[in-house]
Amino acid sequence: MPTEGEILAARRRKAEQLRERGVSLFPARVPKPLDAIPEIVRRYEATDGESLEREEPKPRIAGRIVSIRSFGKAAFAVIQGEGVRLQTWFRQNRVGEDSYSEFKLYDVGDFIWAEGPLVRTKTNELTVDIDRFGLLAKAYRPLPEKWHGLVDVETRYRRRYLDLLVNPRARELAVIRSRTVTAIRA
């Protein structure tokens, strides 16, 4: 198991490699218009693969990478936006060798934008088959461990931003509180 210092050093090396390729780690502009991930999932979650092929929806999304599964010349990355997750599919033969090698320098926690047609995978998961993508912000610190998340109550209170990121229920409660206060003020 690598130490935190080793993880941070590896992420800094990747960031430097991206800089050398001419990639801005924190670009000032985002391609517009962006489609909201919750809206895409809501609209197409019940749509089958054949209907998606006929409709050919091609959303442009933005969000944080919360997991990456790599298989040589293809990779699946799960992007989270507004608390909702959507799978993306990066294929070297579709995005090109240079772009795919750039994607390999991305880490869990990075913010990206991506666009491509919506498809259903063999496991019937709604997926964006990526044509184009780009980095929005490089994350130097890793997210909390995937399976256990934040279980220490003190850490959840002290690092509230992490709790809101990895705990869907905490995020939902924060949104409800905010809307309630707004309604009362109105």
Side-chain angles (χ1 to χ4, degrees), residues 70-81:
S70 188
F71 307 98
K73 294 184 179 185
F76 289 99
V78 177
I79 309 297
Q80 180 174 304

Side-chain angles (χ1 to χ4, degrees), residues 73-77 88-92 95 100 103 112 114 130 133:
K73 294 184 179 185
F76 289 99
T88 57
W89 188 12
F90 292 84
R91 294 187 289 166
Q92 182 175 323
V95 298
Y100 189 73
F103 169 74
I112 67 167
I130 301 302
F133 65 93

Side-chain angles (χ1 to χ4, degrees), residues 93-111:
N93 63 350
R94 188 169 181 101
V95 298
E97 195 172 323
D98 287 343
S99 292
Y100 189 73
S101 63
E102 176 185 317
F103 169 74
K104 297 292 253 177
L105 296 173
Y106 292 0
D107 290 306
V108 170
D110 292 352
F111 285 90

Side-chain angles (χ1 to χ4, degrees), residues 2-175:
T3 66
E4 185 177 359
E6 293 169 340
I7 292 170
L8 294 175
R11 285 177 173 248
R12 284 191 190 101
R13 279 193 301 276
K14 286 183 177 181
E16 191 54 42
Q17 290 174 343
L18 285 167
R19 234 185 249 113
E20 289 170 2
R21 290 170 157 259
V23 176
S24 175
L25 299 182
F26 306 98
R29 299 191 189 280
V30 177
K32 300 278 182 184
L34 290 173
D35 301 303
I37 291 175
E39 178 63 25
I40 293 166
V41 171
R42 185 192 60 74
R43 184 182 301 162
Y44 295 105
E45 67 186 338
T47 309
D48 66 347
E50 292 174 0
S51 298
L52 286 174
E53 283 181 32
R54 279 194 307 273
E55 270 186 64
E56 293 185 347
K58 193 172 182 180
R60 182 178 293 160
I61 60 171
R64 181 181 286 249
I65 299 173
V66 292
S67 72
I68 298 175
R69 297 180 321 274
S70 188
F71 307 98
K73 294 184 179 185
F76 289 99
V78 177
I79 309 297
Q80 180 174 304
E82 299 178 37
V84 178
R85 295 175 178 203
L86 180 62
Q87 181 171 269
T88 57
W89 188 12
F90 292 84
R91 294 187 289 166
Q92 182 175 323
N93 63 350
R94 188 169 181 101
V95 298
E97 195 172 323
D98 287 343
S99 292
Y100 189 73
S101 63
E102 176 185 317
F103 169 74
K104 297 292 253 177
L105 296 173
Y106 292 0
D107 290 306
V108 170
D110 292 352
F111 285 90
I112 67 167
W113 67 270
E115 71 177 346
L118 274 175
V119 297
R120 290 277 178 186
T121 60
K122 291 178 183 176
T123 59
N124 202 31
E125 183 156 357
L126 186 63
T127 303
V128 180
D129 192 4
I130 301 302
D131 287 331
R132 296 181 335 130
F133 65 93
L135 186 68
L136 295 176
K138 182 73 178 151
Y140 286 104
R141 294 207 165 269
L143 297 178
E145 198 223 301
K146 179 179 175 181
W147 300 110
H148 298 99
L150 288 176
V151 290
D152 181 31
V153 176
E154 185 174 336
T155 303
R156 288 181 61 196
Y157 284 115
R158 289 183 183 272
R159 303 175 91 184
R160 188 73 175 142
Y161 61 96
L162 285 178
D163 188 33
L164 294 172
L165 176 68
V166 299
N167 186 345
R169 181 68 182 147
R171 185 183 189 288
E172 183 181 323
L173 288 174
V175 169

